[in-house]
Amino acid sequence: MDSLPIVGAGLAGSEAALQLADAGIPVRLFEMRPGTPTAAHRTGDAAEIVCSNSLGSFLPDRAGGVLQNELRALGCKLLPIAEAHAVPAGQALAVNRDTFAAAVTAELEAHPKIDLIRQEVKCIPADDFVILASGPLTSDALASDIAKISGEENLSFFDAIAPVVTDASLDKSIIFAASRWRPEEDDYLNIPIDKEQYLALIDGLIFGEKHDLKGFEAADPRAKQFFERCLPVEVLAARGKESLRFGPLRPVGLDDPRTRRRPYAVVQMRRENKQGTMWNLVGFQTNLAYGEQEKLLRALPGMQNAEFVRLGSMHRNTFVCAPKLLHSTLEWRTRQGLFLAGQLTGMEGYLGNIGSGLLAARGVLARIEGREPQKLPVETLLGALTFHISSATASSFQPMKAEFGILPPLDWKKRTKEERRQANADRSKKALADFLAAL
Ligand SMILES: Cc1cc2nc3c(=O)[nH]c(=O)nc-3n(C[C@H](O)[C@H](O)[C@H](O)COP(=O)(O)OP(=O)(O)OC[C@H]3O[C@@H](n4cnc5c(N)ncnc54)[C@H](O)[C@@H]3O)c2cc1C
């Protein structure tokens, strides 16, 4: 067969290329750097890690450790390279980013089945089988071409992530289900707050420590437009003490069933998934430091034990609306043979992105061999993540990383936090072993 094009030699594209090449499939791996740089990468190396050098905890009962074990069992190519270039970081797998990227680049360049081509790809290749892995900083020309098949409205250039909490961690004796004006509907959960709690929240939002936008994000002409449309909650709070109470926190139509009275303000949560195991805080997209977010939100009634699947953030990020466009195998719904991988799919996190490259390669391989691409069990973190991005609520879809909160619920009430972690780890291991044994 002709060689198969993969666009982007980041974490996802490099993993996909090594998977396919080792399976005997010739690959053209396109990377636009160093000739066409991005605003965040510094080098021309493949798999350059641009921010934190940590790939997460390696403890076997933490999300990072579970994901590492899943990747190992699936034959991941980049994980052993990361381990060979690890630097001491307590209980986390952190890498020397320069030697790691250099080692991945050397492996790609030395592979007889891989042609690493330093060139910007401006249109989606027309080949029968394609992997797009051009990442959060996909070049503008390619992004425009992706928008042609996705629809402009289904391609984002910034994320606006509000904190997401697990259903199981909420105190439902205080937090009540009701849609505005339709108390019988349970599409929303509502946190009733009194005046004192509201004012404390406003103060925390205004004076809490924040992450600043990076220089290149602030300079992006699209950023201003985006942030005006989708204001961080702290910016809205700073516009006046009442602005949230007359905006996303307005209590109208949301009487508290305990008192049958309208609360002073209401923080609403919208379903993050159809199963209702995760909820996102409406209007709470934020650049507040993570610690501040946890402190402020756990101070709200019924939120004292809140477990965060993810915390809020807003930054530059190109991603498609995966629930509308992708199967959980990462294949484009309306173009068989076209697979997406990495951050472009709406996945976050280094390990998840490496895993997505591995899955896209497995999917392509299945198609080449005339088989249906297979879904991973949802009891695995990687399976749960791909399931999530392809089935989340499309209208409010924002990127997600692999955390225990995205897994199907356990019988958690009978367990401590440690027991729940262990149970999730054991369940993932068994589900993946059964899946691999059945192949
Ligand atoms: C500023 C910033 C900070 C981040 N910090 C973190 C963090 O701390 N932790 C975390 O988990 N994640 C972080 N991320 C997300 C991180 O980028 C991903 O987790 C991971 O690198 C994504 O892998 P990827 O393969 O999808 O994309 P990348 O690793 O970005 O790879 C995509 C590659 O495609 C190339 N490319 C783009 N367009 C084209 C084109 N048209 N033709 C050819 N090549 C192209 C790019 O040059 C790049 O090498 C951050 C992202 C950014 C932008």
Side-chain angles (χ1 to χ4, degrees):
M1 66 171 284
D2 290 342
S3 66
L4 184 148
I6 298 178
V7 184
L11 292 175
S14 299
E15 174 69 28
L18 289 168
Q19 288 290 338
L20 286 168
D22 279 357
I25 307 294
V27 167
R28 293 183 329 274
L29 176 59
F30 292 95
E31 173 51 58
M32 67 179 185
R33 291 177 293 116
T36 307
T38 77
H41 295 86
R42 290 177 302 110
T43 73
D45 280 343
E48 181 186 329
I49 287 177
V50 292
C51 195
S52 158
N53 64 336
S54 171
L55 277 66
S57 170
F58 55 64
L59 295 177
D61 64 347
R62 301 300 156 93
V66 170
L67 199 47
Q68 285 170 37
N69 281 334
E70 291 177 7
L71 291 178
R72 217 166 273 123
L74 287 163
C76 178
K77 308 291 178 189
L78 260 54
L79 185 57
I81 306 179
E83 285 166 334
H85 293 272
V87 294
Q91 293 170 331
L93 171 60
V95 296
N96 176 323
R97 69 182 84 227
D98 294 329
T99 62
F100 167 71
V104 174
T105 309
E107 197 145 324
L108 293 168
E109 284 174 341
H111 204 296
K113 293 274 180 196
I114 298 176
D115 190 5
L116 180 55
I117 303 170
R118 303 294 188 160
Q119 185 185 313
E120 180 188 353
V121 172
K122 297 192 173 174
C123 298
I124 302 171
D127 303 52
D128 289 345
F129 307 108
V130 178
I131 296 179
L132 287 185
S134 47
L137 302 174
T138 293
S139 73
D140 285 350
L142 181 60
S144 303
D145 202 50
I146 295 172
K148 280 188 199 149
I149 62 163
S150 66
E152 298 273 342
E153 68 287 5
N154 293 321
L155 182 69
S156 301
F157 291 97
F158 290 85
D159 54 31
I161 292 168
V164 176
V165 290
T166 61
D167 182 75
S169 67
L170 304 175
D171 182 348
K172 301 280 184 58
S173 68
I174 299 173
I175 297 173
F176 61 96
S179 291
R180 209 180 291 279
W181 308 120
R182 291 188 297 278
E184 69 288 356
E185 283 186 7
D186 63 355
D187 288 352
Y188 289 85
L189 291 179
N190 303 282
I191 307 170
I193 55 179
D194 63 24
K195 186 170 182 182
E196 202 181 323
Q197 291 158 341
Y198 176 79
L199 293 175
L201 175 64
I202 299 296
D203 275 357
L205 290 172
I206 295 175
F207 298 113
E209 188 198 338
K210 323 235 166 16
H211 293 300
D212 286 332
L213 282 185
K214 297 195 173 54
F216 74 85
E217 292 173 316
D220 189 320
R222 290 167 297 204
K224 193 165 177 289
Q225 221 183 354
F226 173 78
F227 281 85
E228 237 350 276
R229 247 189 309 124
C230 197
L231 286 179
V233 64
E234 60 273 17
V235 174
L236 199 53
R239 288 191 172 173
K241 281 218 181 315
E242 294 289 293
S243 52
L244 282 176
R245 212 163 76 82
F246 287 99
L249 270 62
R250 66 190 181 285
V252 181
L254 294 170
D255 289 0
D256 185 339
R258 288 176 308 164
T259 60
R260 296 177 190 276
R261 298 180 62 178
R262 179 183 296 180
Y264 188 74
V266 169
V267 176
Q268 283 207 293
M269 292 186 275
R270 188 190 293 120
R271 275 172 198 275
E272 179 66 19
N273 58 356
K274 292 190 183 85
Q275 303 77 356
T277 58
M278 295 183 276
W279 297 86
N280 73 66
L281 283 99
V282 178
F284 267 73
Q285 56 276 6
T286 178
N287 276 316
L288 228 55
Y290 285 172
E292 298 277 356
Q293 294 183 40
E294 287 183 309
K295 193 175 74 185
L296 272 181
L297 295 174
R298 287 209 178 104
L300 298 179
M303 292 283 284
Q304 59 280 5
N305 298 318
E307 279 179 0
F308 294 94
V309 179
R310 66 164 312 154
L311 287 157
S313 62
M314 294 180 77
H315 43 53
R316 173 77 172 82
N317 192 0
T318 315
F319 64 98
V320 300
C321 184
K324 279 194 187 165
L325 302 170
L326 300 183
H327 291 297
S328 65
T329 55
L330 307 180
E331 190 172 30
W332 199 269
R333 286 180 192 231
T334 55
R335 181 172 153 187
Q336 201 178 86
L338 171 63
F339 286 78
L340 264 57
Q343 198 108 350
L344 199 53
T345 64
M347 287 192 186
E348 280 229 331
Y350 296 144
L351 286 175
N353 282 315
I354 293 173
S356 72
L358 186 155
L359 291 183
R362 287 175 76 101
V364 164
L365 203 54
R367 283 279 174 234
I368 292 171
E369 292 168 356
R371 294 181 284 112
E372 273 302 304
Q374 281 170 314
K375 297 172 189 172
L376 283 184
V378 290
E379 293 80 12
T380 63
L381 271 177
L382 202 49
L385 188 57
T386 50
F387 175 75
H388 174 80
I389 61 154
S390 57
S391 67
T393 309
S395 56
S396 56
F397 179 64
Q398 290 293 326
M400 177 61 82
K401 71 188 283 192
E403 293 289 355
F404 283 149
I406 63 171
L407 289 168
L410 291 163
D411 187 7
W412 72 282
K413 277 185 181 145
K414 295 200 181 86
R415 299 189 162 103
T416 64
K417 201 170 182 177
E418 287 68 33
E419 285 173 325
R420 287 207 304 277
R421 282 190 191 128
Q422 192 57 54
N424 275 321
D426 292 345
R427 188 173 62 167
S428 143
K429 194 171 176 183
K430 179 169 183 326
L432 192 55
D434 291 349
F435 170 82
L436 291 171
L439 289 180

